[in-house]
Amino acid sequence: SPELVRKNLFDYDAVLITDWRAPERLVCEQIQRFVRSGGGVFMAPAFDADTTAWNTLVASPHFGLRLGPRPNAPSNERFFIWDRIDWNHPIWSVYRDVPADRIPEIRWFSIFRTEGQSTAGAIVDFSGGRPALSEARIESGKWLVSWSPLNPPYTDLPLRSLFVPFMNRLVEYLAADLSERRGDFLVGEPVVREPSRAIAANATIEISRPDGSLARPGLESVGTRTRITYDGADAPGVYTITANGKPID
């Protein structure tokens, strides 16, 4: 946490904080500003988490939940699984049509029991119905929390084949809105994008074309977002939108 206080979160596309024992007020205030401006954050508690700090600064004010007492020591004889997954969520939608027997069963050998009526969306629930992964949308930003530790021996997630693609989708979702990302633009088709991340009014917005050349797109303010239009996609390949030279979409 002392290191986090000194970090400028706006230097990053997404922020992941795992095994966090005791959230601090200054860090959480910085996270709130980052999320409100369109940033994406993911966090998970440590097994010995300070539940008072978690409940005061994260769970209660932003998710309507409370972490219960510290969980029991992990045991292979009893476990929870990811029982309900929102397959329509952008993180999971690519797996929507995958046969159920191809999705590995993720086991959790020790979890925090959450209490309260959630004010945030549950992306995944544990067996028994308690939220496992929740999302709070704050203005144009995204704040996701796993309500139990992500590291062994508390779960076998990092040992499963799903772990790397899941984390890849998670980071992509936090850094850019996958629900708005299209990959099927045709050559010559006008491109319209609205990056979820807030863009500074004085930023230089450019399109990096497949050949490395740069082009200026059209810009339009739409509420708190910037609509970017480009009708010069006349060659196949990847086009990247940048703000002050940094990719944003």
Side-chain angles (χ1 to χ4, degrees):
S1 288
E3 182 179 351
L4 282 173
V5 172
R6 295 192 294 269
K7 292 287 186 181
N8 180 5
L9 301 186
F10 291 89
D11 289 338
Y12 303 91
D13 293 324
V15 175
L16 283 74
I17 309 172
T18 60
D19 204 31
W20 202 9
R21 184 182 181 280
E24 296 180 357
R25 186 170 300 279
L26 285 177
V27 175
C28 289
E29 289 175 352
Q30 188 175 180
I31 287 172
Q32 288 180 57
R33 290 193 295 272
F34 177 68
V35 173
R36 288 185 188 282
S37 71
V41 172
F42 170 78
M43 59 179 59
F47 177 73
D48 60 347
D50 180 339
T51 55
T52 298
W54 265 89
N55 289 333
T56 301
L57 298 172
V58 179
S60 294
H62 302 293
F63 295 86
L65 296 171
R66 292 184 66 258
L67 287 182
R70 184 177 300 175
N72 296 325
S75 168
N76 291 333
E77 297 179 358
R78 61 180 187 276
F79 57 85
F80 295 83
I81 62 171
W82 274 354
D83 188 48
R84 186 204 64 83
I85 297 175
D86 180 3
W87 297 109
N88 292 318
H89 190 278
I91 292 175
W92 293 108
S93 60
V94 293
Y95 305 107
R96 186 166 45 208
D97 298 324
V98 176
D101 60 0
R102 297 286 302 277
I103 303 292
E105 180 181 81
I106 308 301
R107 297 184 176 185
W108 301 78
F109 306 106
S110 187
I111 69 171
F112 282 96
R113 294 179 180 270
T114 54
E115 303 167 353
Q117 187 65 39
S118 176
T119 57
I123 303 173
V124 183
D125 286 337
F126 287 121
S127 46
R130 297 178 187 273
L133 179 64
S134 299
E135 176 180 18
R137 297 299 298 259
I138 303 177
E139 296 186 14
S140 59
K142 293 158 284 195
W143 191 338
L144 275 67
V145 171
S146 166
W147 297 112
S148 285
L150 291 179
N151 50 306
Y154 313 113
T155 176
D156 62 3
L157 174 61
L159 308 178
R160 298 292 185 174
S161 59
L162 183 66
F163 179 65
V164 172
F166 164 66
M167 293 304 295
N168 183 58
R169 292 288 296 181
L170 173 66
V171 172
E172 285 186 341
Y173 176 66
L174 292 174
D177 197 340
L178 293 178
S179 64
E180 297 177 357
R181 179 175 293 176
R182 282 186 58 193
D184 59 349
F185 289 107
L186 301 176
V187 172
E189 179 184 2
V191 176
V192 180
R193 307 289 297 141
E194 289 184 21
S196 59
R197 188 83 174 265
I199 301 174
N202 61 348
T204 299
I205 310 298
E206 294 177 306
I207 302 286
S208 177
R209 293 171 49 84
D211 62 2
S213 62
L214 299 175
R216 289 294 184 92
L219 304 176
E220 178 186 356
S221 294
V222 181
T224 60
R225 295 193 178 191
T226 300
R227 178 174 296 161
I228 298 172
T229 58
Y230 182 62
D231 58 6
D234 53 4
V238 176
Y239 293 75
T240 303
I241 301 173
T242 66
N244 294 332
K246 185 176 181 180
I248 59 171
D249 194 70

